[in-house]
Amino acid sequence: MIGFNKPYLTGDEVKYIQQAAASGKISGNGDFTKRCQHFFEQKYGFRKCLLTTSCTDALEMAAILCDIGPGDEVIVPSYTFVSSALAFVRNGARIIFADSCSDNPNIDADRLETLITPRTKAIVPVHYAGIACDMQRIMDIADRHGLMVVEDAAQAIDSFFNGQPLGSIGHLACFSFHETKNIISGEGGMLCINDDRLIRRAEIIWEKGTNRAEFFRGEVNKYGWVDTGSSFLPSEVTAAFLWAQIENMDRIQAKRKELWCKYYVNLKPLEDKGLLYLPDIPEYATNNAHMFYLVCRNLDERTRLIQHLKANGIQAVFHYLALHKSDFYRAKHDGRDLPSCDRFADCLVRLPMFYELDVHQVDQICDQILAFFN
Ligand SMILES: Cc1ncc(COP(=O)(O)O)c(C=O)c1O
């Protein structure tokens, strides 16, 4: 069986975890945490990075930093993971679900402005498959209306919009290092704070509402409870694991891109015949090869394709269910149809993509897809 995902270990994870343990400092915000945060700040120009225990936690921190409260509206695409919306709902927000573009699953920036009301407080663009949303349009709209932008960059490490790293553009951005992502720490995430005005408060929220970070830097002579927050920071064990992945990121990215291109070239003839759709990468976006997906013409065809691949030892999977139709939110949704979201929920299939997959296996998978459509 070729599985959909296999977490890749670089070989240095245990060595660094042992180092963390031997240092006698295995709680959060130690040397490995600082090393990881510094790396991302230097490489991508994020103003301030804070590791978190998940991207969900980073999104929850973002909701607090945006001062989301009851009655506020937050615009989120319906075609996304639950956490993109849930983090804001927990603070009392009403979610206004946006549709996807017709040719890719990202939020449709053309129709964004029609969703804004006097109660709107934030927009959450999700860079699906690591491919950039139209950040220029989104930031222009947000500026005009005085809104916060929280990039859900869970899948978007090492990817760019017109040369700008994803995660560096919104006021805040959230990454995931869950085992399904390009670089991983089991569970794990990161909040990037690009708006200087939010940095001090972010550190406090991160450390249970205390000004502990300032105390350890020697900026205050005692620390205490100064704000809301939670224990959002991961232990050094998680950060040590992540450091081993960071050191190997270029190699991981190069291999994933090679696999992605192989899929694309092999399957292009099917798209040319109008039998399926391949990912559409806008001119302004790069591809970080987080995911290889294709879009079938209808739900029945997708179901049969997944079954065909399974019968031939290949695990392909669909992705999000529309959040505006979820059990939790259906009755609270304003009733608008979101046809592009529905189409991706019904027709999108993700193919195996992980570091240890090899190009011959990609050929084998593509041969089965070609056999299905021919
Ligand atoms: C778009 C998006 N946002 C948020 C998350 C949540 O990430 P985590 O599992 O790190 O909390 C995911 C998870 O896959 C995701 O795909």
Side-chain angles (χ1 to χ4, degrees):
M1 186 79 183
I2 304 177
F4 169 68
N5 181 54
K6 181 175 176 216
Y8 172 59
L9 300 189
T10 67
D12 290 331
E13 286 79 2
V14 172
K15 180 177 80 185
Y16 290 145
I17 289 170
Q18 277 170 344
Q19 277 179 25
S23 78
K25 161 80 179 159
I26 49 175
S27 60
N29 202 8
D31 284 349
F32 279 107
T33 298
K34 291 190 177 98
R35 249 193 253 182
C36 294
Q37 292 175 173
H38 184 71
F39 169 85
F40 289 117
E41 287 162 3
Q42 292 303 306
K43 184 165 170 82
Y44 299 113
F46 305 141
R47 281 286 299 128
K48 173 75 189 168
C49 293
L50 295 173
L51 293 191
T52 56
T53 52
S54 63
C55 181
T56 302
D57 265 4
L59 287 159
E60 287 180 13
M61 287 184 70
I64 299 172
L65 286 166
C66 291
D67 267 327
I68 301 296
D72 290 335
E73 292 179 357
V74 178
I75 300 173
V76 181
S78 180
Y79 192 71
T80 184
F81 194 70
V82 172
S83 304
S84 320
L86 175 60
F88 298 88
V89 166
R90 282 166 53 90
N91 278 30
R94 169 146 194 262
I95 303 299
I96 304 299
F97 282 114
D99 204 1
S100 298
C101 301
S102 57
D103 50 8
N104 85 51
N106 283 342
I107 194 165
D108 182 356
D110 285 343
R111 279 178 293 165
L112 197 52
E113 216 154 3
T114 63
L115 304 178
I116 294 173
T117 74
R119 291 180 297 282
T120 309
K121 209 143 186 193
I123 305 171
V124 185
V126 179
H127 305 299
Y128 185 76
I131 295 165
C133 297
D134 187 345
M135 290 309 291
Q136 180 75 54
R137 296 278 309 279
I138 293 169
M139 294 310 290
D140 285 351
I141 292 168
D143 280 351
R144 236 186 352 266
H145 294 271
L147 306 177
M148 298 292 289
V149 174
V150 179
E151 291 178 71
D152 183 336
Q155 307 170 5
I157 198 73
D158 200 41
S159 203
F160 298 80
F161 170 83
N162 276 340
Q164 283 176 276
L166 298 185
S168 71
I169 306 168
H171 302 87
L172 297 161
C174 305
F175 286 93
S176 175
F177 303 120
H178 182 264
E179 69 169 24
T180 48
K181 302 303 185 289
N182 293 28
I183 57 168
I184 62 175
S185 58
E187 300 283 350
M190 179 168 71
L191 177 70
C192 302
I193 306 110
N194 299 313
D195 182 334
D196 286 345
R197 294 168 302 178
L198 301 176
I199 291 176
R200 179 171 180 269
R201 187 163 189 232
E203 280 188 331
I204 290 168
I205 291 166
W206 190 53
E207 290 236 48
K208 304 110 181 153
T210 71
N211 55 349
R212 200 160 172 268
E214 289 175 351
F215 174 71
F216 282 113
R217 282 198 299 264
E219 293 164 16
V220 290
N221 55 16
K222 58 180 170 40
Y223 79 87
W225 184 12
V226 294
D227 202 338
T228 186
S230 188
S231 187
F232 286 115
L233 70 176
S235 87
E236 279 288 285
V237 176
T238 299
F241 194 113
L242 183 62
W243 183 249
Q245 296 269 317
I246 285 174
E247 283 192 326
N248 290 279
M249 186 164 80
D250 289 346
R251 181 164 57 84
I252 293 171
Q253 291 297 85
K255 175 71 186 291
R256 293 183 76 107
K257 285 177 192 171
E258 183 193 359
L259 297 171
W260 198 100
C261 291
K262 188 80 177 149
Y263 270 126
Y264 192 87
V265 168
N266 285 356
L267 297 175
K268 188 76 177 94
L270 292 178
E271 183 176 59
D272 292 342
K273 284 188 200 158
L275 296 169
L276 52 73
Y277 305 90
L278 295 180
D280 176 65
I281 303 191
E283 229 170 80
Y284 53 67
T286 58
N287 170 28
N288 70 348
H290 169 60
M291 180 195 300
F292 193 92
Y293 71 82
L294 58 86
V295 184
C296 292
R297 289 171 297 186
N298 55 59
L299 173 59
D300 172 60
E301 192 169 63
R302 181 182 75 175
T303 307
R304 288 187 294 105
L305 174 60
I306 290 174
Q307 277 165 358
H308 171 80
L309 292 173
K310 188 173 172 199
N312 288 281
I314 297 157
Q315 188 189 18
V317 292
F318 55 83
H319 209 183
Y320 307 129
L321 303 175
L323 294 183
H324 71 289
K325 292 182 169 171
S326 62
D327 286 349
F328 186 68
Y329 221 82
R330 193 172 36 231
K332 301 183 210 51
H333 175 59
D334 56 27
R336 276 172 303 114
D337 284 333
L338 304 174
S340 295
C341 165
D342 290 343
R343 173 171 165 254
F344 291 115
D346 285 349
C347 304
L348 186 145
V349 189
R350 294 177 293 158
L351 302 178
M353 170 60 85
F354 50 90
Y355 181 85
E356 286 171 274
L357 192 66
D358 73 50
V359 286
H360 304 295
Q361 288 174 306
V362 172
D363 283 340
Q364 200 185 320
I365 295 163
C366 293
D367 285 348
Q368 285 303 333
I369 296 171
L370 288 158
F372 174 82
F373 281 100
N374 293 325

